[in-house]
Amino acid sequence: MAEREETEKKKEAESFSIWDLPDVPQKLPPHIEFQRTRVQCNLDAPIHTENVMYSGAYASMGVDNSLQLDHFCNNFRVEVIRLTKDDMEFDLIGIDAAIANAFRRILIAELPTMAIEKVLIANNTSVIQDEVLAHRLGLIPIIVDPRLFEYMSENDTSNEKNTIVFKLHVLCERGGPRLTVKTNELKWLPNGSELPLETKPDSNPSSKPRTYTSFSSSQDLLPEFSNNPIRPMLDITIARLGPGQEIELEAHAVKGIGKTHAKWSPVATAWYRMLPEIVLLEDVEDEDAEKLVKTCPVNVFDIEDIGSGKKRATVAQPRACTLCRECLRCGEEWEKRVSIRRVKDHFICKYVMLIIN
Amino acid sequence: MEHGAFGDQSNATFSLTEEDHTLANAVRFTLNQDPRVTFCGYSIPHPSDARVNIRVQTTGDPAREVLKDSCQELMLMCRHVRSTFAKAVDDFRTSEKVQAMKIDSKE
């Protein structure tokens, strides 16, 4: 009997845990949670900017800071704000800066596109030098899905799977006005290059002359291109010709990534910022409210009437805040009234793309 | 390539070629969150060399396994991000179409 009582007491002692007491907090105290998730932007500099990632950081409080994959999967959200032909703006919520930055870097440097690499110039009597013209042609975006093509290395021959050939032949008539050469003049050649390679005179004269590319079939037989010819982005000026000047060239486009040369980068610009959060720590009324609304250049604050003629300032558009800190600069007491913060795991991403993807 | 004391498997430096901050920072983030890790960091010995050194020190588990597990977790996270993003873009496009249709029907 005594033994059974003892074992029961032991079991009770083992199953009792200090964390089960009602007044012990299970999560982090609010000020530490604030330090972990918000960057406080003061008038002189931001504080708490580091990301507390170490798994044992809060071990003394019994809170586990390690990465739980299912926790991440449950809390992660994407909200698309805008999606047009040229650019897109969306929010990534619940992710860390390291991964958001990795996505941005990959988007700029490691996504393949097609761009003009080799330019075979037959005739150029314009004022634009050959190499400058070739450089400009390389920067023109080509509207085609790069996944349909393969990479070409130096030893490969150009064939229809790794090259796109364009031709440009413009002549400005004597006695006519000056001519602006735009990318609309670049014609796609689905059968490959038309410039013949120099062949030895004793080769078979009746065979087709070898050109700079060896296309075994025409590219416009592929279903993607049959109704939808490959073209560069239109209305970009390549050169200007005076009377009597002529440009005749062939341009070969290949697949590449932005790391090798920026002409292969699919985005014009890619940036992200943290979501701003503005909190009014005290009630700001009447004249102070009007002053606050006037100082903000992007109209973050707004006035609401709370009856009996009194006005109060509220935060209307916190997302527009550009961190100019004008609202903190009005006077000394404003630092205590307005708190500008950034949310560490909510990123507003904006990508301006060159090609419709 | 792994450089480290061959007697002690729990501390090692991994040298990855053809990599830069893109991968190294993301791997360092997932490594840090792993409770078996006591220290982790990365450095780029010279910016012209495409080489990254990742240092991992663990509480006893072989460093190689811990690095592999973190890379696996990073892969799963990215996969989840990709599917969530694709779904969000689809939802946005259908909601735009629905709005456009509603405007047409009102007229």
PDB file of all heavy atoms in Angstrom, chain A residues 302-314:
ATOM      1  N   ASP A 302      -4.617  60.890 -42.148  1.00  0.00           N
ATOM      2  CA  ASP A 302      -5.876  61.496 -42.530  1.00  0.00           C
ATOM      3  C   ASP A 302      -6.593  61.949 -41.273  1.00  0.00           C
ATOM      4  O   ASP A 302      -6.308  61.479 -40.171  1.00  0.00           O
ATOM      5  CB  ASP A 302      -6.723  60.478 -43.284  1.00  0.00           C
ATOM      6  CG  ASP A 302      -7.680  61.179 -44.203  1.00  0.00           C
ATOM      7  OD1 ASP A 302      -7.648  62.421 -44.257  1.00  0.00           O
ATOM      8  OD2 ASP A 302      -8.463  60.477 -44.855  1.00  0.00           O
ATOM      9  N   ILE A 303      -7.551  62.839 -41.455  1.00  0.00           N
ATOM     10  CA  ILE A 303      -8.246  63.388 -40.284  1.00  0.00           C
ATOM     11  C   ILE A 303      -9.640  62.795 -40.232  1.00  0.00           C
ATOM     12  O   ILE A 303     -10.300  62.650 -41.256  1.00  0.00           O
ATOM     13  CB  ILE A 303      -8.354  64.921 -40.413  1.00  0.00           C
ATOM     14  CG1 ILE A 303      -6.956  65.496 -40.384  1.00  0.00           C
ATOM     15  CG2 ILE A 303      -9.176  65.474 -39.288  1.00  0.00           C
ATOM     16  CD1 ILE A 303      -6.905  66.908 -39.970  1.00  0.00           C
ATOM     17  N   GLU A 304     -10.060  62.432 -39.036  1.00  0.00           N
ATOM     18  CA  GLU A 304     -11.458  62.035 -38.901  1.00  0.00           C
ATOM     19  C   GLU A 304     -12.087  62.905 -37.824  1.00  0.00           C
ATOM     20  O   GLU A 304     -11.446  63.295 -36.844  1.00  0.00           O
ATOM     21  CB  GLU A 304     -11.572  60.557 -38.538  1.00  0.00           C
ATOM     22  CG  GLU A 304     -10.962  60.200 -37.221  1.00  0.00           C
ATOM     23  CD  GLU A 304     -11.278  58.798 -36.788  1.00  0.00           C
ATOM     24  OE1 GLU A 304     -11.917  58.065 -37.565  1.00  0.00           O
ATOM     25  OE2 GLU A 304     -10.900  58.456 -35.677  1.00  0.00           O
ATOM     26  N   ASP A 305     -13.352  63.195 -38.016  1.00  0.00           N
ATOM     27  CA  ASP A 305     -14.062  64.017 -37.025  1.00  0.00           C
ATOM     28  C   ASP A 305     -14.680  63.101 -36.002  1.00  0.00           C
ATOM     29  O   ASP A 305     -15.356  62.133 -36.356  1.00  0.00           O
ATOM     30  CB  ASP A 305     -15.188  64.802 -37.708  1.00  0.00           C
ATOM     31  CG  ASP A 305     -14.618  65.828 -38.658  1.00  0.00           C
ATOM     32  OD1 ASP A 305     -13.576  66.406 -38.331  1.00  0.00           O
ATOM     33  OD2 ASP A 305     -15.212  66.014 -39.725  1.00  0.00           O
ATOM     34  N   ILE A 306     -14.437  63.369 -34.713  1.00  0.00           N
ATOM     35  CA  ILE A 306     -15.012  62.512 -33.688  1.00  0.00           C
ATOM     36  C   ILE A 306     -16.124  63.216 -32.951  1.00  0.00           C
ATOM     37  O   ILE A 306     -16.410  62.928 -31.817  1.00  0.00           O
ATOM     38  CB  ILE A 306     -13.946  62.009 -32.687  1.00  0.00           C
ATOM     39  CG1 ILE A 306     -13.005  63.138 -32.308  1.00  0.00           C
ATOM     40  CG2 ILE A 306     -13.177  60.872 -33.282  1.00  0.00           C
ATOM     41  CD1 ILE A 306     -12.020  62.742 -31.254  1.00  0.00           C
ATOM     42  N   GLY A 307     -16.762  64.143 -33.628  1.00  0.00           N
ATOM     43  CA  GLY A 307     -17.917  64.768 -32.975  1.00  0.00           C
ATOM     44  C   GLY A 307     -17.500  65.907 -32.074  1.00  0.00           C
ATOM     45  O   GLY A 307     -16.353  66.006 -31.660  1.00  0.00           O
ATOM     46  N   SER A 308     -18.437  66.772 -31.747  1.00  0.00           N
ATOM     47  CA  SER A 308     -18.248  67.986 -30.933  1.00  0.00           C
ATOM     48  C   SER A 308     -17.092  68.820 -31.487  1.00  0.00           C
ATOM     49  O   SER A 308     -16.330  69.436 -30.744  1.00  0.00           O
ATOM     50  CB  SER A 308     -18.034  67.659 -29.451  1.00  0.00           C
ATOM     51  OG  SER A 308     -16.786  67.031 -29.242  1.00  0.00           O
ATOM     52  N   GLY A 309     -16.963  68.834 -32.833  1.00  0.00           N
ATOM     53  CA  GLY A 309     -16.001  69.735 -33.469  1.00  0.00           C
ATOM     54  C   GLY A 309     -14.552  69.309 -33.350  1.00  0.00           C
ATOM     55  O   GLY A 309     -13.661  69.988 -33.841  1.00  0.00           O
ATOM     56  N   LYS A 310     -14.279  68.182 -32.687  1.00  0.00           N
ATOM     57  CA  LYS A 310     -12.874  67.814 -32.506  1.00  0.00           C
ATOM     58  C   LYS A 310     -12.432  66.913 -33.651  1.00  0.00           C
ATOM     59  O   LYS A 310     -13.204  66.146 -34.199  1.00  0.00           O
ATOM     60  CB  LYS A 310     -12.703  67.064 -31.177  1.00  0.00           C
ATOM     61  CG  LYS A 310     -12.909  67.973 -29.986  1.00  0.00           C
ATOM     62  CD  LYS A 310     -12.765  67.199 -28.698  1.00  0.00           C
ATOM     63  CE  LYS A 310     -11.325  66.900 -28.427  1.00  0.00           C
ATOM     64  NZ  LYS A 310     -10.999  66.754 -27.036  1.00  0.00           N
ATOM     65  N   LYS A 311     -11.154  67.010 -33.983  1.00  0.00           N
ATOM     66  CA  LYS A 311     -10.617  66.185 -35.062  1.00  0.00           C
ATOM     67  C   LYS A 311      -9.513  65.328 -34.519  1.00  0.00           C
ATOM     68  O   LYS A 311      -8.825  65.691 -33.588  1.00  0.00           O
ATOM     69  CB  LYS A 311     -10.023  67.078 -36.156  1.00  0.00           C
ATOM     70  CG  LYS A 311     -11.011  67.950 -36.818  1.00  0.00           C
ATOM     71  CD  LYS A 311     -10.347  68.742 -37.899  1.00  0.00           C
ATOM     72  CE  LYS A 311     -11.263  69.901 -38.238  1.00  0.00           C
ATOM     73  NZ  LYS A 311     -10.567  70.900 -38.999  1.00  0.00           N
ATOM     74  N   ARG A 312      -9.352  64.192 -35.154  1.00  0.00           N
ATOM     75  CA  ARG A 312      -8.276  63.307 -34.700  1.00  0.00           C
ATOM     76  C   ARG A 312      -7.557  62.772 -35.922  1.00  0.00           C
ATOM     77  O   ARG A 312      -8.163  62.543 -36.962  1.00  0.00           O
ATOM     78  CB  ARG A 312      -8.880  62.160 -33.895  1.00  0.00           C
ATOM     79  CG  ARG A 312      -7.839  61.403 -33.106  1.00  0.00           C
ATOM     80  CD  ARG A 312      -8.463  60.442 -32.177  1.00  0.00           C
ATOM     81  NE  ARG A 312      -9.313  59.516 -32.899  1.00  0.00           N
ATOM     82  CZ  ARG A 312     -10.041  58.602 -32.299  1.00  0.00           C
ATOM     83  NH1 ARG A 312     -10.026  58.507 -30.999  1.00  0.00           N
ATOM     84  NH2 ARG A 312     -10.802  57.793 -33.002  1.00  0.00           N
ATOM     85  N   ALA A 313      -6.284  62.547 -35.787  1.00  0.00           N
ATOM     86  CA  ALA A 313      -5.528  62.016 -36.924  1.00  0.00           C
ATOM     87  C   ALA A 313      -5.549  60.498 -36.891  1.00  0.00           C
ATOM     88  O   ALA A 313      -5.448  59.883 -35.836  1.00  0.00           O
ATOM     89  CB  ALA A 313      -4.084  62.507 -36.855  1.00  0.00           C
ATOM     90  N   THR A 314      -5.704  59.915 -38.067  1.00  0.00           N
ATOM     91  CA  THR A 314      -5.622  58.449 -38.173  1.00  0.00           C
ATOM     92  C   THR A 314      -4.643  58.099 -39.282  1.00  0.00           C
ATOM     93  O   THR A 314      -4.326  58.931 -40.130  1.00  0.00           O
ATOM     94  CB  THR A 314      -6.975  57.834 -38.547  1.00  0.00           C
ATOM     95  OG1 THR A 314      -7.427  58.476 -39.730  1.00  0.00           O
ATOM     96  CG2 THR A 314      -7.971  57.950 -37.453  1.00  0.00           C
TER      97      THR A 314
END
